[in-house]
Amino acid sequence: MILRRHPSSLCLLWLLIVSVVICAPCYGQDTIFKKPQPIRDELRQQQEVELNIIGVSNDAQKNIRDVLGDRLGFLLVPPASRAEASDLAFILENYMRNQGFPEVTVFWRVESPTLIRLRIDTGKVVTINEVVIEGVDGITDNDVKFKKELSEIIVAKTKVRDRINDQGTPFVPEDLALGVENIRTLLHARGYWNAEVNMSTTEKTEPGKKTVTITVSRGKLIKIGTIEFKGLIASELATVNPLAENVKGMDATADRLIDFEQRIRAVFDRQGYYDTSVRFSQSITGGKMSLTVTVNPGRQVTVGDIIIRESGRTDEDVILRRLKPFQGKLYDPDSITAAVDKLYSTGVFERIDIEEYVEPDDTIDLEVTLTETNASTIGFYTGLSSESGAIAGVSYNHLNVGGRLHQFRSILEYSGLGPRGDATYTIPWYLIDKSSASFRVFGISRDYAAYDKLEYGWEHALSYPFTDHYSASVRVGGSLVNTNSLEIDPVFAGPLDYYVSYIGLTQTYDNLNDPINPTKGLNATLQLDTAGSWIGSDVTFSRAIARGAYYLPIGDSSHIKLAAASGVIYTSDDTLPIDLRYFQGGTSSLRSFRDRRGPPYSDSGNPLGGNAFNYGSIEYVGPIAGPVKFVLFTDAGNVIQDTDPFTFSDMELAVGAGVRINLPTGPIRFEYGYNATHDDGEPEGTFQFVIGVSF
């Protein structure tokens, strides 16, 4: 017999009383319980009663069990009983009503002590056929996209219910009302503080399908009007009034008001005030929002004791030297955060926690706990490129040598051009705050088109970041060069074996949004070098190279890159060594030629290089799918054998297209550059590619 679930509390009470009356005479009669006991013990050894659900799809059954697993499992204790079956049906019935089944009925049946069967009759199901948004045109630059976003907000909660409802997104009035309220909040946040949002529904000819229409009366876009500060003295008002003047007349969006509040708070944070309170009250009249800003600066505190609770392998003195300058000064959380960020930038620390304790004497003590990462790593990498052929290498890095946060980085690499080794030791905060010193040694062998070379060298650099985006470094270095296997007349090659020592200055401006795969910002460098016998060099020259790349975003997933470079090297020697000259061609140069294979050429057709070069490029990068992008480009450039950097004769032109896959470690590139200024002996075009994997 199948019983319909009827959760009446009076019936349950009646059943309980009857059960007690019937069973009461049995209490204390051992003979009654001796035989059933082994069966009950056997049932209890079973983990749970089997629950069989019918009336919905297998997927819906699985999702019901995933969501209600714990609640159902609590009742599935053997042996199965009518009370347990009734409770299971009651729980499932209420759950499904909340999932968009207003007429659901759940029937139950105890099949055996180890099996309960529930049959679900879903009844009439009402689903959402379509969501129509009206009255929002012009709020954003993309009406279609904005309407789609609002539609998703309306059904955000009901979509979760699709896991149970096989017939589509269920129509649940309470969920839709929440979506309407969320749209109203969104419009307020965009500055439409008087916006009204109404919902209406119509049923299509197909029963159970409803169209939901959201009608927006957005009203005026509210502007920020008068701003009145309360709780501040005259000197404090003088520091916040300029902030108020900057936002007057602007759209009263939530983001702008939050930013305004944070800027006010930051003013007092920088003056050592702890736990500043900023509260807004507003009134709207005639499209203007009048703000009353009540500020309680709190207590002005200075930094007291700084205690290192845990620093791992790092010397505590190193950490304290970064934080001690704050001691005894007004508490400035932004400055302390900047110091912590610099510690993070070393790559040594996984986590840095600072606990703050405000003392009665208006000081704030800082307790610092540092959690380190693995500072010593060995890595391997491999790749393939049109410039270097196959590449394989191993790297060893130690980011905390001797617990002093000194860094040692090294690589040993072999490619189609030859082997290369490089090791650099870096000391952060060298001599003065922010500055760093690096010491580098290297060895490199290269098999170029016109010659081979073997070079061993060193370089010492001092770097200083003047701002977040602008930095400069002074370099001094030298290298011993051996040139051999010439494929050009030695007369044109210059000195073959020599030692060059130099001193140089490099300036960099970088505000790119991503150092690996940028889509916005500017990167520009200016490098100046000089060499001569006065510093022990066999070669005399003065060199200047300027490079720049500007990224301009187009929409959400495309961008344009404008790049330019120019360089010149002057020498008083008869002929400049070939390895110090400029060459063109390759993935970061003129892409219609292979790396360093562009003109001018010798009589034998090998590249000679030159004393000056110019290069310009424009790229358009657009989306294909996910990280896969297409690129269209035009490159132009020349290499000049004299020293006039502003000579634009004999310009080479390349046009082409390609595909890139942007990975966190750098892009994989496949590009073809067509030689639009093709001359005899030159390629008609060149396929360029770069593929790399590290592990």
Side-chain angles (χ1 to χ4, degrees), residues 274 496 659:
Y274 185 78
L496 301 181
V659 174

Side-chain angles (χ1 to χ4, degrees), residues 98-334:
N98 289 332
Q99 304 307 305
F101 297 88
E103 299 180 8
V104 66
T105 304
V106 179
F107 300 92
W108 59 266
R109 180 171 178 173
V110 179
E111 298 287 355
S112 72
T114 59
L115 175 63
I116 293 175
R117 178 171 288 116
L118 301 179
R119 180 170 63 83
I120 301 173
D121 181 359
T122 59
K124 181 181 178 181
V125 179
V126 180
T127 59
I128 297 173
N129 179 65
E130 182 184 12
V131 177
V132 178
I133 307 293
E134 298 177 345
V136 297
D137 291 344
I139 291 180
T140 68
D141 295 335
N142 191 329
D143 291 337
V144 174
K145 182 179 179 181
F146 187 53
K147 288 180 180 179
K148 183 179 179 181
E149 291 175 357
L150 297 184
S151 297
E152 290 174 351
I153 290 174
I154 285 293
V155 299
K157 188 172 182 180
T158 54
K159 272 196 170 182
V160 177
R161 310 187 192 280
D162 289 351
R163 301 177 64 215
I164 305 300
N165 195 334
D166 300 318
Q167 303 178 42
T169 303
F171 178 85
V172 183
E174 295 83 359
D175 292 350
L176 298 176
L178 177 62
V180 167
E181 185 58 34
N182 288 339
I183 288 180
R184 185 179 291 112
T185 301
L186 174 64
L187 292 170
H188 291 176
R190 287 180 171 270
Y192 295 94
W193 292 93
N194 294 326
E196 291 295 333
V197 183
N198 297 297
M199 180 181 71
S200 61
T201 60
T202 56
E203 190 163 344
K204 294 292 185 181
T205 55
E206 184 181 353
K209 298 286 187 180
K210 286 185 178 289
T211 295
V212 177
T213 301
I214 305 298
T215 304
V216 175
S217 301
R218 62 193 181 196
K220 290 183 177 180
L221 178 59
I222 305 302
K223 305 289 185 179
I224 297 176
T226 59
I227 300 176
E228 178 186 3
F229 288 99
K230 290 186 176 181
L232 301 178
I233 61 177
S235 60
E236 294 168 341
L237 284 172
T239 62
V240 296
N241 278 332
L243 300 178
E245 292 301 322
N246 288 338
V247 299
K248 283 182 180 178
M250 291 187 173
D251 297 343
T253 63
D255 287 344
R256 181 160 288 117
L257 294 175
I258 292 172
D259 180 69
F260 181 39
E261 176 191 355
Q262 291 174 342
R263 289 177 184 273
I264 294 171
R265 197 184 306 276
V267 167
F268 293 95
D269 286 346
R270 287 192 292 269
Q271 298 177 46
Y273 288 96
Y274 185 78
D275 200 20
T276 300
S277 169
V278 180
R279 290 184 293 109
F280 284 1
S281 60
Q282 67 275 343
S283 61
I284 298 174
T285 306
K288 296 283 187 179
M289 176 182 287
S290 298
L291 291 174
T292 300
V293 184
T294 304
V295 182
N296 180 6
R299 298 167 58 185
Q300 194 172 33
V301 297
T302 57
V303 178
D305 294 333
I306 300 176
I307 304 168
I308 308 298
R309 289 299 183 195
E310 178 63 43
S311 62
R313 297 179 296 273
T314 305
D315 191 330
E316 287 188 11
D317 290 340
V318 174
I319 306 300
L320 285 174
R321 274 204 296 272
R322 308 309 316 146
L323 301 177
K324 279 290 186 182
F326 301 109
Q327 201 165 20
K329 296 182 180 179
L330 290 174
Y331 172 68
D332 182 357
D334 289 344

Side-chain angles (χ1 to χ4, degrees), residues 409-657:
R409 299 177 183 271
S410 62
I411 64 168
L412 185 62
E413 175 187 286
Y414 190 87
S415 72
L417 292 176
R420 178 173 74 95
D422 201 307
T424 302
Y425 191 90
T426 302
I427 303 174
W429 308 299
Y430 184 72
L431 298 179
I432 59 176
D433 189 35
K434 295 184 180 180
S435 68
S436 63
S438 64
F439 304 86
R440 174 182 175 236
V441 293
F442 64 91
I444 184 170
S445 175
R446 283 293 178 259
D447 179 5
Y448 290 134
Y451 65 99
D452 296 350
K453 80 160 182 177
L454 179 63
E455 179 179 4
Y456 300 98
W458 63 276
E459 183 178 82
H460 173 43
L462 294 175
S463 302
Y464 187 84
F466 290 91
T467 69
D468 291 339
H469 303 299
Y470 171 70
S471 62
S473 64
V474 176
R475 299 168 291 105
V476 58
S479 60
L480 183 64
V481 181
N482 170 255
T483 308
N484 54 72
S485 301
L486 291 177
E487 297 184 21
I488 61 174
D489 191 323
V491 174
F492 301 114
L496 301 181
D497 300 305
Y498 56 91
Y499 178 78
V500 58
S501 56
Y502 60 88
I503 185 169
L505 171 67
T506 300
Q507 302 177 77
T508 302
Y509 180 86
D510 188 343
N511 69 347
L512 298 179
N513 63 335
D514 188 315
I516 306 298
N517 298 302
T519 59
K520 181 181 179 181
L522 171 67
N523 176 272
T525 62
L526 175 63
Q527 177 183 331
L528 305 172
D529 298 304
T530 185
S533 58
W534 55 280
I535 51 173
S537 177
D538 297 335
V539 183
T540 300
F541 66 82
S542 295
R543 176 171 56 195
I545 305 173
R547 300 181 185 275
Y550 178 69
Y551 295 82
L552 177 66
I554 306 295
D556 296 332
S557 54
S558 302
H559 70 271
I560 290 176
K561 175 187 175 183
L562 302 172
S566 186
V568 62
I569 183 167
Y570 298 94
T571 180
S572 58
D573 299 337
D574 294 335
T575 306
L576 190 70
I578 190 170
D579 193 54
L580 292 175
R581 302 174 195 170
Y582 301 116
F583 291 82
Q584 61 183 342
T587 55
S588 57
S589 180
L590 205 63
R591 280 168 278 189
S592 55
F593 296 94
R594 291 180 60 189
D595 184 44
R596 298 170 61 94
R597 299 292 182 95
Y601 299 115
S602 67
D603 293 338
S604 59
N606 288 295
L608 290 171
N611 291 26
F613 81 96
N614 296 289
Y615 169 73
S617 175
I618 181 170
E619 290 184 352
Y620 177 80
V621 180
I624 296 178
V628 184
K629 311 287 184 180
F630 72 86
V631 57
L632 305 174
F633 63 85
T634 299
D635 301 331
N638 66 347
V639 168
I640 310 135
Q641 290 187 294
D642 60 29
T643 54
D644 184 358
F646 302 107
T647 298
F648 299 101
S649 60
D650 299 321
M651 293 290 289
E652 301 289 340
L653 182 66
V655 293

